[in-house]
Amino acid sequence: STATPPAATAPPAPKIVKGGPASTADDKGDAAQVKKARDLWYRGVDAFRAGNYEEARRAFAECYQLMPKSDVLRNLSISEIQSGHYVSAARHLKQLLAAPGDLPANVRDEANNRLAQAEAQVGQLKIEVDVAGAEISIDGAVIGKSPLESTWYIEPGQHEIVVSKAGYPLESRQVFALAG
């Protein structure tokens, strides 16, 4: 359980985009999917405003699976920070900042500030492998193949990194990640 920051430093409530995230004419998907995404959006906003950040996080995460839009990703990351899911928040904020298309300057600034807030709570790994296409796992979960484009966010603490590729010896390392 993570304590909520004092009101003076708490982020603002997610702002509802007119009509919600799933109302634009160019959305793909059937009407039921659009309705479900809209319902999840409003459930997330209501939960966040009520201070139930974990419920908001779950609603925005499900909404984002149906409608992967920047406003949903933004609200998801805010809810993740408020509910103490800093690794996910950092990953989602990085994704938001890297997404094609221009974010308004105020949204970009807010995302950069929140990313710094999340990064202060997590560890970061830069994994370099001298063999292209090697599978990289952290604590048994595959995170990708070499070369990895950027750092990887992890919870502070002990982790096992395994690198494998057919025809090469398995490499395993234990690392201890510090927050920040």
Side-chain angles (χ1 to χ4, degrees):
S1 168
T2 303
T4 303
T9 61
K15 295 195 179 12
I16 295 175
V17 175
K18 185 176 180 182
S23 65
T24 60
D26 64 347
D27 283 331
K28 294 184 172 127
D30 61 19
Q33 181 177 337
V34 171
K35 181 186 182 323
K36 183 173 182 181
R38 187 178 295 126
D39 290 347
L40 287 162
W41 168 266
Y42 287 113
R43 189 174 90 201
V45 169
D46 290 344
F48 190 96
R49 288 186 175 155
N52 187 346
Y53 305 120
E54 183 62 27
E55 174 61 26
R57 182 191 70 80
R58 286 192 302 267
F60 288 129
E62 194 174 340
C63 181
Y64 188 72
Q65 292 300 312
L66 295 171
M67 293 290 169
K69 296 188 167 286
S70 62
D71 54 341
V72 180
L73 192 58
R74 176 185 169 270
N75 288 355
L76 173 58
S77 66
I78 292 169
S79 300
E80 287 169 332
I81 288 175
Q82 288 299 103
S83 61
H85 295 268
Y86 297 108
V87 169
S88 296
R91 289 178 186 161
H92 287 133
L93 286 161
K94 222 23 158 180
Q95 183 181 348
L96 178 65
L97 289 164
D102 291 328
L103 290 176
N106 64 324
V107 173
R108 182 167 296 284
D109 290 345
E110 173 194 307
N112 278 313
N113 289 337
R114 290 187 194 285
L115 179 58
Q117 180 184 0
E119 285 180 339
Q121 303 298 318
V122 301
Q124 295 184 51
L125 286 177
K126 174 87 173 140
I127 302 171
E128 295 181 9
V129 179
D130 60 358
V131 174
E135 185 175 86
I136 302 168
S137 300
I138 299 178
D139 299 330
V142 175
I143 64 164
K145 292 188 181 278
S146 63
L148 290 179
E149 303 259 332
S150 62
T151 59
W152 189 258
Y153 296 110
I154 58 173
E155 293 291 337
Q158 187 75 29
H159 298 277
E160 179 182 34
I161 301 161
V162 176
V163 177
S164 61
K165 184 172 181 177
Y168 292 87
L170 183 87
E171 286 288 328
S172 177
R173 299 276 194 292
Q174 294 289 323
V175 298
F176 189 87
L178 299 174

